[in-house]
């Protein structure tokens, strides 16, 4: 068989694997979706997209300032048509593309088939990647763009082509706009860029330290080293930093605060739940995953993702591998300190696995033997088992909902998720088009995401919001507020305190629907 036929066979194998994964994820997602289970971030995207259909609201502000930016743009087009499965479909496609990019980047090697099926098994069975596909969150975008970024950056070490650094810069920009915490990676990438600059200079020495000694003792090489180091940093970081500066200036221009996209709950799901223990506890119930990395990062990473440490063991370039994994560990530790009020998200575990694959693909300097190939299979199975155990042993309510939905495939009685917000969504959907609802979409995004109402809604982004709060009898027919004593009450501009001021103006309100989280009032006219 010729080399071209072998390559075509490889690509067809990888494409078949990506298609298989897409159908596999699609089947699981349809089952979970049929049980009424939707992640909070998916509902956040749907709720924000539904606001684009309200004529009174500023579309530029909603579409341009919602963060994370890239996942919202990718999912908003499907959400505009009230296609509630749209964000999930996009995340399935993104995770399948990630598998395709990982496997096609691998160079032919003696145990390529074992490596390919280990990666396929990881995508099929590891809960981290399954959740990335079926949840409809921004996790798939963070994983995809991080892998493409680190792969192209490592490829530069092999090819010395500045083109790879420029491509890595593009993907790094997309990564930052998918998860803003990755912007801190710029501080930690400096030693890696320093290493790459030394390694790519044409010096006839194998050791990094020998090359470094020659560079600092030769004037011409020292000057060339400084110029190349400066150029690489500019090419890699100028684009993401420039885009972030422009984005912050847009926030300043439209809202008066450059941090609006991070601090304001209307534009970002996470600020609502990141300031005290009560909110953090509530946020952990909403965010459906059981991995939290606030302490013992290295130990937890080794337990949940041991495969990268195996790659480090068989690597011939141990110094490079240790430095890269050390940077990632420092990143997670830094984030756990910098954002001590919240947990470090799940994608910061996945980056270790993705980096191991990227090192194997881009550098390829590894020791190969039958023993190592068999060990690769064993460690992959162990990694899947520890991932499943960590997910199943979680105590978070939404974790249990996903698990119960999947277990119901094997049980005759089945499982159906009970969502109290759905009751209010159905009530709003039944309102006639001439009725007007007053609600704070900062905290009621789940209800907006699940409703199919054509009635008019006045939110805090509407110009009439203040007037409607002052004199609801003139502007609205219904008022939706958080239940007294609920976690969301203190974060909503519509609560029982504002209700007291309404009653003081002798506006009669009649409670028509309530549960532990929400109360719907009808304005008696």
């Amino acid at each position: 068989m010729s080399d071209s036929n072998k390559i075509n066979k490889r690509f067809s194998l990888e494409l078949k694997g990506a298609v298989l994964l897409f159908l596999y994820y699609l089947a699981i997602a349809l089952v979970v979706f049929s049980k009424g289970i939707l992640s909070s971030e998916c509902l956040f995207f749907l709720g924000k997209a539904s606001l684009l259909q309200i004529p009174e609201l500023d579309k530029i502000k909603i579409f341009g300032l919602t963060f994370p930016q890239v996942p919202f743009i990718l999912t908003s087009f499907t959400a505009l048509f009230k296609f509630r499965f749209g964000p999930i479909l996009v995340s399935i496609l993104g995770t399948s593309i990630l598998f395709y990019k990982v496997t096609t980047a691998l160079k032919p090697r003696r145990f390529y088939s074992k490596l390919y099926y280990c990666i396929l098994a990881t995508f099929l069975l590891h809960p981290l990647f399954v959740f990335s596909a079926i949840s409809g969150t921004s996790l798939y975008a963070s994983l995809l763009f991080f892998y493409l970024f680190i792969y192209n950056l490592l490829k530069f070490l092999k090819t010395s082509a500045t083109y790879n650094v420029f491509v890595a810069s593009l993907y790094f920009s997309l990564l930052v706009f998918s998860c803003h915490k990755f912007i801190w990676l710029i501080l930690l990438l400096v030693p890696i860029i320093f290493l790459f600059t030394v390694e790519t200079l044409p010096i006839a020495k194998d050791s990094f330290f020998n090359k470094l000694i020659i560079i600092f003792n030769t004037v011409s090489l020292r000057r060339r080293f400084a110029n190349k180091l400066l150029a690489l940093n500019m090419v890699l970081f100028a684009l993401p930093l420039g885009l972030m500066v422009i984005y912050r200036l847009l926030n300043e221009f439209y809202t008066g605060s450059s941090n609006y996209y991070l601090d304001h709950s209307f534009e970002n799901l996470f600020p609502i739940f990141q300031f005290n223990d009560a909110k953090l506890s509530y946020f952990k119930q909403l965010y459906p995953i059981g991995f939290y990395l606030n302490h013992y990062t290295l130990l937890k990473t080794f337990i949940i993702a041991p495969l990268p440490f195996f790659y480090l063991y068989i690597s011939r370039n141990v110094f490079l591998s240790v430095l890269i994994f050390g940077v990632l560990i420092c990143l997670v530790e830094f984030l756990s300190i910098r954002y001590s009020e919240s947990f470090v998200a799940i994608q910061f575990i996945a980056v270790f696995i993705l980096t191991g694959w990227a090192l194997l693909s881009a550098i390829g300097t590894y020791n190969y033997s039958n023993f190592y190939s068999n060990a690769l299979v064993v460690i992959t199975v162990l990694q899947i088992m520890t991932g499943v155990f960590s997910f199943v042993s979680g105590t978070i309510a939404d974790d249990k909902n996903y698990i119960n939905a999947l277990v119901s495939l094997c049980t005759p009685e089945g499982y159906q998720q009970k969502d109290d917000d759905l009751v209010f969504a159905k009530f709003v959907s039944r309102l006639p088009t001439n009725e007007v609802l007053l609600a704070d979409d900062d905290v009621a995004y789940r209800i907006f995401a699940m409703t199919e109402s054509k009635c008019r809604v006045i939110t805090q982004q509407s110009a009439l919001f203040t007037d409607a709060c002052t004199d609801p009898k003139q502007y609205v027919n219904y008022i939706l507020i958080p239940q007294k004593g609920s976690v969301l009450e203190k974060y909503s501009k519509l609560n029982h305190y504002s209700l007291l001021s309404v009653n003081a103006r002798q506006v009669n309100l009649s409670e028509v629907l309530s549960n532990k989280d929400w109360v719907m009032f009808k304005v008696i006219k």
Side-chain angles (χ1 to χ4, degrees), residues 6-7 18 29 58 68 177 181 184 197 224 226 320 420 505:
K6 290 181 179 179
I7 293 174
D58 188 348
F177 281 88
K181 291 181 180 179
W184 296 107
T197 306
R224 187 174 179 182
L320 171 64
D420 293 334
R505 295 180 177 84

Side-chain angles (χ1 to χ4, degrees), residues 377-445:
V377 176
V378 173
I379 295 177
T380 300
V381 173
L382 178 64
Q383 180 173 265
I384 293 172
M385 292 174 61
T386 55
V388 172
F389 175 77
S390 301
F391 189 83
V392 172
S393 61
T395 59
I396 301 170
D398 279 356
D399 286 356
K400 300 300 182 183
N401 292 334
Y402 275 88
I403 294 170
N404 292 334
L406 296 178
V407 171
S408 68
L409 292 172
C410 307
T411 57
E413 61 272 12
Y415 173 79
Q416 191 70 28
Q417 164 70 2
K418 296 180 180 179
D419 196 332
D420 293 334
D421 291 343
L422 185 60
V423 178
F424 281 82
K426 290 180 178 179
F427 179 85
V428 175
S429 299
R430 292 194 296 267
L431 294 178
T433 55
N434 61 335
E435 300 286 338
V436 182
L437 171 66
L438 176 63
D440 185 355
D441 51 288
D442 271 11
V443 292
Y445 65 90

